[in-house]
Amino acid sequence: GILTGTRVSDTAVAILSSGWILLAVTAGLYLTQLVLLIAFLVIQAVIRIFATWLNPVEDITVLTSVSLAATLVVAIVVFVLTDGHRRLIAEVRHQAIRDPLTGVLNRRGADLEAHAVRAVAERASTPTTVAVIDLDDFKVINDRYGHQTGDKALQTLTEQWSQRLRSSDVLARIGGDEFLIVMPDT
């Protein structure tokens, strides 16, 4: 090998390749694409320096360069695949706690946020106001003007409430025409 100036064995190449693949998959899973590229460029430079310093045999440096290039390609492929997967999971999580019509939290999201607000309020010994809003006779709007108009009315209401509420307040649609507002420190 490296110190004796002899050609690298097939076993050594197989072990090195396995190590590169493991490194590629790990890097692709846990690093951002920019950090991934920078890390591999730095590793490439360090390997070239040490390979030349330990043994100036050209095939080791070439083998290392080719292995590292292949590893970088595998890492980028893994990153792209897992990044898409992460985005999909984030989107599903977002949809799981949001009302599709109004964009505010749904009952599940309200439950999560209300528990978090309650825990903070209890630790800080501060009051919290909880308002439940039920729009009286909302069915009349849907029956008289149609569901599109009723949907637009709900969207307009939630937009206006959201503009007036503080960022720490929680607004959620918990039913067809029922809403919940949790206002910490009030």
Side-chain angles (χ1 to χ4, degrees):
I2 292 175
L3 297 176
T4 62
T6 60
R7 190 155 170 76
V8 178
S9 72
D10 290 341
T11 305
V13 170
I15 292 170
L16 183 63
S17 298
S18 300
W20 285 128
I21 290 170
L22 181 62
L23 177 64
V25 171
T26 303
L29 287 171
Y30 297 107
L31 300 178
T32 66
Q33 204 163 12
L34 178 61
V35 172
L36 185 66
L37 183 59
I38 291 170
F40 277 102
L41 290 174
V42 169
I43 291 169
Q44 172 76 10
V46 169
I47 287 173
R48 282 180 172 252
I49 290 168
F50 278 109
T52 304
W53 177 64
L54 291 173
N55 185 3
V57 176
E58 188 62 28
D59 67 330
I60 294 173
T61 305
V62 170
L63 172 68
T64 304
S65 298
V66 169
S67 296
L68 191 58
T71 303
L72 180 57
V73 169
V74 170
I76 289 173
V77 168
V78 169
F79 173 82
V80 168
L81 292 175
T82 57
D83 188 51
H85 184 67
R86 282 186 207 116
R87 283 189 215 166
L88 181 61
I89 288 172
E91 179 62 26
V92 168
R93 282 184 180 153
H94 178 79
Q95 290 175 0
I97 64 168
R98 293 281 170 184
D99 174 54
L101 176 66
T102 62
V104 300
L105 293 172
N106 61 19
R107 183 182 297 270
R108 182 181 295 122
D111 190 43
L112 293 170
E113 288 294 320
H115 283 295
V117 168
R118 179 179 175 199
V120 170
E122 286 177 356
R123 274 195 307 270
S125 296
T126 58
T128 299
T129 298
V130 177
V132 178
I133 301 167
D134 185 353
L135 304 175
D136 289 337
D137 300 321
F138 188 77
K139 183 179 179 326
V140 173
I141 293 173
N142 283 333
D143 291 344
R144 187 173 295 160
Y145 302 105
H147 286 279
Q148 274 188 319
T149 301
D151 290 351
K152 184 64 180 162
L154 292 175
Q155 291 167 336
T156 301
L157 279 171
T158 56
E159 285 172 18
Q160 290 178 359
W161 289 336
S162 295
Q163 290 171 0
R164 287 169 175 77
L165 291 170
R166 303 169 300 174
S167 61
S168 60
D169 297 337
V170 176
L171 171 62
R173 182 178 178 204
I174 57 174
D177 64 352
E178 298 165 347
F179 295 86
L180 175 74
I181 301 175
V182 180
M183 296 170 281
D185 203 21
T186 57

